[in-house]
Amino acid sequence: QVQLVESGGGLVQPGGSLRLSCAASGSIFSIDAMGWYRQAPGKERELVATITSGGSTNYEDSVKGRFTISRDNVKRTVYLQMNSLKPEDTAVYYCNADIVYFSGSYLRPVGSWGQGTQVTVSS
């Protein structure tokens, strides 16, 4: 079994910054892509940013130049540095990871999700 635990959300004024973290734990063999998604009230969950195990990144257009995704493969942690935050960035942010884990004598893949962390941008 694996678990993703997020931290770092909160209330921030427009123009401010927050750093989200998401740590993976459990019987992990390997982690491939990791990413951040968000879901605003009344909207569908959307991709924010992804990063491969090799460090290649991809961003949703509205966050390019403001958000930076990074990861620490030793700590099995993915980060999202969010700068120049806008009210429209308000959402619950979820991390996701493509994980291969030990299940008895087998290796099994799973797309795992964190529980979500609230980010509110408001004056």
Side-chain angles (χ1 to χ4, degrees), residues 13-117:
Q13 293 186 343
S17 297
L18 282 175
R19 189 192 194 207
L20 306 182
S21 300
C22 173
S25 62
S27 302
I28 296 172
F29 173 75
S30 65
I31 303 176
D32 191 6
M34 305 182 81
W36 290 94
Y37 292 72
R38 65 186 179 187
Q39 187 166 18
K43 295 187 177 181
E44 294 186 353
R45 190 173 299 188
E46 65 174 1
L47 173 70
V48 176
T50 60
I51 184 168
T52 68
S53 57
S56 296
T57 59
N58 180 57
Y59 296 93
E60 193 269 329
D61 286 345
S62 70
V63 308
K64 287 180 180 177
R66 301 188 297 123
F67 292 9
T68 302
I69 189 170
S70 62
R71 63 190 284 172
D72 183 325
N73 290 328
V74 174
K75 295 182 178 180
R76 296 172 172 172
T77 299
V78 62
Y79 306 96
L80 186 68
Q81 178 66 44
M82 304 185 293
N83 299 328
S84 302
L85 282 160
K86 304 175 181 180
E88 51 264 44
D89 295 317
T90 295
V92 177
Y93 284 70
Y94 299 89
C95 72
N96 173 270
D98 294 329
I99 296 173
V100 177
Y101 68 100
F102 294 97
S103 179
S105 302
Y106 301 95
L107 294 177
R108 299 192 185 280
V110 64
S112 186
W113 290 90
Q115 81 285 358
T117 185

